[in-house]
């Protein structure tokens, strides 16, 4: 299974309630510069949805979806990927593995008119 690009994205900066669908739920705080932290001593492993694996495949030049990098040519026998394993390499592509988190809540920040 190769996941499609989401229909929406979350703003980079914010506070999100995240879980991996197991025991731990935590607040993920993402700063404007991309730094992030989890509250309450939670770790990324605690809030990662282990059955899901994700990676972004890009051409060596850095552009995704060009002829030299085609994730559709992935070896289907390498799927599904076992929990905790890295995504398989695809010939002609660079790969960045990602953790999968479920965002189950977003902090509601007041607008200037609500202050």
């Amino acid at each position: 299974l190769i996941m499609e690009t989401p229909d929406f994205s979350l703003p980079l900066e914010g506070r999100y309630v995240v879980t991996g669908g197991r025991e731990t739920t935590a607040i993920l705080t993402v700063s404007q510069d991309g730094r992030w932290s989890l509250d309450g001593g939670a770790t990324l492993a605690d809030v990662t949805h282990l059955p899901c694996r994700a990676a972004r495949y890009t051409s060596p030049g850095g552009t995704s979806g060009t002829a030299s990098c085609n994730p559709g040519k992935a070896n289907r026998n390498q799927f599904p990927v076992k929990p905790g394993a890295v995504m398989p390499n695809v010939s002609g592509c660079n790969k960045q593995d990602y953790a999968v988190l479920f965002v189950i809540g977003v902090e509601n920040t007041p607008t200037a008119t609500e202050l």
Side-chain angles (χ1 to χ4, degrees), residues 56-62 69 90 92-96:
R56 181 175 186 184
Y57 294 93
T58 57
S59 293
C69 175
V90 175
C93 298
N94 291 334
K95 175 183 64 106
Q96 173 67 53

Side-chain angles (χ1 to χ4, degrees), residues 3-87:
M3 296 170 51
E4 296 179 20
T5 302
D7 292 334
F8 65 93
S9 61
L10 295 172
L12 175 62
E13 185 178 16
R15 291 172 43 91
Y16 309 98
V17 182
V18 296
T19 184
R22 299 188 321 272
E23 296 126 24
T24 304
T25 299
I27 302 296
L28 169 67
T29 302
V30 181
S31 301
Q32 188 172 14
D33 64 5
R35 287 180 297 129
W36 58 270
S37 64
L38 292 163
D39 74 341
T43 66
L44 185 58
D46 293 334
V47 296
T48 298
H49 186 245
L50 297 177
C52 289
R53 313 304 318 145
R56 181 175 186 184
Y57 294 93
T58 57
S59 293
T63 307
S64 61
T66 64
S68 66
C69 175
N70 183 349
K73 293 182 179 180
N75 181 346
R76 303 285 178 169
N77 293 328
Q78 295 178 316
F79 294 89
V81 177
K82 293 182 181 180
V86 297
M87 292 290 286

Side-chain angles (χ1 to χ4, degrees), residues 12 104 111:
L12 175 62
I104 59 174
T111 64

